[in-house]
Amino acid sequence: MTYLELSEEGGGAHKFYEAVVSGTRVTITYGRIGENGQVKVTDFPTEEKARAAAAKKIAEKTKKGYAPAVRGVRQRRAVTRRAIVSTRSTAQQAPVLWRFASGSAAFGIFVDRERCWVGNQAGQVYTLTPEGDMTGRYQLPDGVKCIVADDFWIYAGCDDGKVYDLSGKVPRAAYEIASDVDIFWLDIADGVLGVSDDSGRITTIDYEDEFLWARTGGGRSGWMVRCDGDAVFHGHSGGVARYDLQGNQAWYQTAASGVLFGWQEEKSVYAGTASRTVHKLAKADGAVEAVYRCDAAIYSCATSPGGQYVFAGDSASSVYCFSADGTRLWKLATGCGSAFSMQYLDERLYIVTTDGSLACIDATEQAIAAAREGTVPQARDVKIAASLPVVEPSVTVETTTDTGDGVLVECFSEGGRLRIRVLSPGYEAWNVQFPREIREPGARYVVEGIRPSGNGGFYRAFGDIRRLV
């Protein structure tokens, strides 16, 4: 038996790899330190070939930086479960069009015109159409903290310390966060990941899954991080701060303290607080532009495009709508718990809640007016489609002998790191964002496509990945 670990200081990797040879059988176990990991068993025709195969695997891992270790010395990362305090609303019922019970408290949501994504504490991710028809099921290894989009890509941040790219056929780990970071929230912009944690720290990681910088804020419980192409906005118990992409603090606003959630528009950020308010802050200088006052602690907030309307969800299972200047327009009950996250799209407000529901609320003027008078539609209860396969993360890569219409890339070593570069003609000499767990020195892969990052300098792979043989 050979047991190895790779635990980088500040760099993110915190993994083990174990090879056991028993006669002609080789058992490989790998995963996050402190967890059971995944197991792969292979039988060989002779004991010599089994030992040779195990030795080759160990040599490959050692070349990547793994070293002999003693199991149990390094510990699994800490995980904080968000405390659920949710009471029943006394407001009129909101006009819910449909709802889906995911089975566990849900934090993650992303909605576009094709799919609604919901991720829950059990590590389950479901996709539905905007009309409430189920289209996909995923099972991730640990609880889903949040779901974020970055242009074409959809990511789920999990309690196992990994951020999974859900854009391809199977989820693949795109980022791995340092073991001492107890993730509260995360956001991604142009490939740069921002992570806020229990200790009030903000950590950023680049597109190659490598540490950029970390800063300690003036409070704890960092439930807000929002990234754009110019800055990272971090909210915690002490307030909200703006950092540039090099980690320099530009401003710090303490008026919005006790932050429990964050949202952003092009020129403003919104901080939902335990003090029953949503603060709108100017991105440029942190000035308070408006305050939206609710009746209980705010778990989530969102806006319509351009911030014309501001929405909030409180700990008493109510949702609110305000005009941009702070005037409260309405308050209604969700009927399915307090909204941990929300998103507005095409006159509908989508929420995920403390009881694990994904609910679609009709936010048109007519539907809201009728609801305030006590008339709401019969909500459709969406059931799990048993026929849909459950897709799990994989480090297995299909092989091909033909590049077809795909883009050819190659794995190479640079400065002790495995990088990916494009071999197909017509591309810049940039590296490619690519799952670390499937990189092997000298291997060539065919990817469905690549796109340049927003600011240039690197490419991002998307779609199916196959190994060229």
Side-chain angles (χ1 to χ4, degrees):
M1 186 270 284
T2 302
Y3 179 80
L4 307 174
E5 288 183 349
L6 174 62
S7 186
E8 300 169 332
E9 290 294 331
H14 193 61
K15 302 182 286 188
F16 76 90
Y17 189 89
E18 181 185 76
V20 177
V21 180
S22 179
T24 59
R25 173 166 293 184
V26 177
T27 302
I28 300 294
T29 308
Y30 59 93
R32 294 281 298 172
I33 293 172
E35 300 176 3
N36 293 330
Q38 301 182 56
V39 179
K40 181 179 180 181
V41 178
T42 306
D43 290 313
F44 293 87
T46 66
E47 294 184 7
E48 290 75 14
K49 289 187 177 182
R51 288 194 294 270
K56 181 180 178 181
K57 290 292 185 181
I58 292 300
E60 290 173 355
K61 291 300 177 181
T62 302
K63 189 175 181 180
K64 291 182 179 181
Y66 284 76
V70 177
R71 185 188 292 273
V73 174
R74 292 191 178 98
Q75 299 299 308
R76 187 181 190 271
R77 75 166 57 247
V79 175
T80 297
R81 305 296 190 191
R82 190 165 188 172
I84 298 176
V85 179
S86 179
T87 58
R88 187 179 180 85
S89 177
T90 58
Q92 291 278 21
Q93 173 62 44
V96 175
L97 297 176
W98 56 264
R99 58 178 168 248
F100 164 64
S102 74
S104 181
F107 304 115
I109 184 175
F110 176 74
V111 179
D112 60 23
R113 289 184 170 84
E114 295 182 357
R115 287 181 291 187
C116 305
W117 297 77
V118 55
N120 66 23
Q121 194 61 70
Q124 298 159 334
V125 177
Y126 299 92
T127 61
L128 299 89
T129 68
E131 301 306 318
D133 298 318
M134 184 166 289
T135 57
R137 301 173 64 186
Y138 302 82
Q139 179 62 63
L140 300 182
D142 214 332
V144 177
K145 273 288 199 288
C146 55
I147 297 177
V148 296
D150 185 20
D151 190 20
F152 177 85
W153 292 265
I154 303 291
Y155 297 97
C158 293
D159 283 335
D160 68 349
K162 294 184 181 180
V163 180
Y164 294 89
D165 180 3
L166 304 180
S167 306
K169 288 183 178 180
V170 297
R172 297 195 187 276
Y175 300 85
E176 187 167 357
I177 300 162
S179 60
D180 62 343
V181 177
D182 185 1
I183 305 167
F184 268 31
W185 207 257
L186 58 84
D187 197 16
I188 301 175
D190 202 22
V192 174
L193 172 70
V195 183
S196 55
D197 64 24
D198 171 53
S199 64
R201 180 174 48 179
I202 178 73
T203 303
T204 61
I205 300 169
D206 72 5
Y207 74 97
E208 285 272 38
D209 192 18
E210 295 174 11
F211 174 83
L212 288 176
W213 52 264
R215 300 290 183 269
T216 300
R220 297 188 61 83
S221 301
W223 282 115
M224 171 185 175
V225 58
R226 291 293 176 181
C227 305
D228 63 19
D230 300 313
V232 178
F233 301 90
H234 182 216
H236 45 67
S237 63
V240 180
R242 170 183 169 135
Y243 297 90
D244 66 22
L245 298 184
Q246 288 70 49
N248 303 306
Q249 184 174 295
W251 53 256
Y252 181 37
Q253 176 58 265
T254 59
S257 61
V259 177
L260 298 177
F261 195 83
W263 185 261
Q264 70 172 332
E265 285 290 333
E266 181 181 1
K267 297 182 179 180
S268 304
V269 289
Y270 299 78
T273 76
S275 301
R276 306 181 178 185
T277 61
V278 177
H279 278 65
K280 178 183 179 182
L281 307 177
K283 283 187 172 182
D285 58 10
V288 178
E289 298 180 315
V291 179
Y292 310 92
R293 302 191 182 279
C294 303
D295 302 325
I298 302 304
Y299 282 169
S300 59
C301 57
T303 67
S304 63
Q308 179 182 6
Y309 298 107
V310 177
F311 301 91
D314 71 12
S315 61
S317 305
S318 298
V319 289
Y320 304 76
C321 178
F322 299 86
S323 60
D325 63 4
T327 303
R328 185 191 291 189
L329 301 178
W330 49 263
K331 171 188 176 182
L332 294 168
T334 69
C336 54
S338 298
F340 267 153
S341 294
M342 59 172 54
Q343 189 176 337
Y344 175 90
L345 181 67
D346 293 340
E347 297 190 299
R348 293 183 175 184
L349 183 65
Y350 298 86
I351 62 173
V352 290
T353 71
T354 51
D355 77 356
S357 294
L358 166 63
C360 173
I361 298 173
D362 187 344
T364 60
E365 290 186 12
Q366 299 88 337
I368 295 299
R372 297 178 73 183
E373 295 297 323
T375 301
V376 294
Q378 178 65 45
R380 173 190 169 202
D381 285 317
V382 180
K383 304 299 182 183
I384 295 177
S387 60
L388 281 176
V390 179
V391 184
E392 298 184 4
S394 175
V395 294
T396 301
V397 184
E398 295 180 358
T399 60
T400 184
T401 58
D402 182 15
T403 59
D405 295 328
V407 179
L408 182 63
V409 301
E410 179 184 48
C411 182
F412 69 102
S413 180
E414 180 183 71
R417 299 272 189 172
L418 292 178
R419 313 286 191 191
I420 299 291
R421 60 190 171 198
V422 184
L423 294 183
S424 293
Y427 293 93
E428 300 287 345
W430 297 342
N431 288 344
V432 181
Q433 184 181 36
F434 194 85
R436 287 177 71 174
E437 292 187 335
I438 63 174
R439 300 183 190 187
E440 293 193 17
R444 295 185 175 188
Y445 304 89
V446 179
V447 299
E448 185 175 325
I450 59 174
R451 295 184 182 183
S453 63
N455 294 324
F458 69 93
Y459 290 110
R460 306 179 71 184
F462 66 85
D464 191 26
I465 299 173
R466 294 166 294 163
R467 182 169 178 169
L468 186 67
V469 295

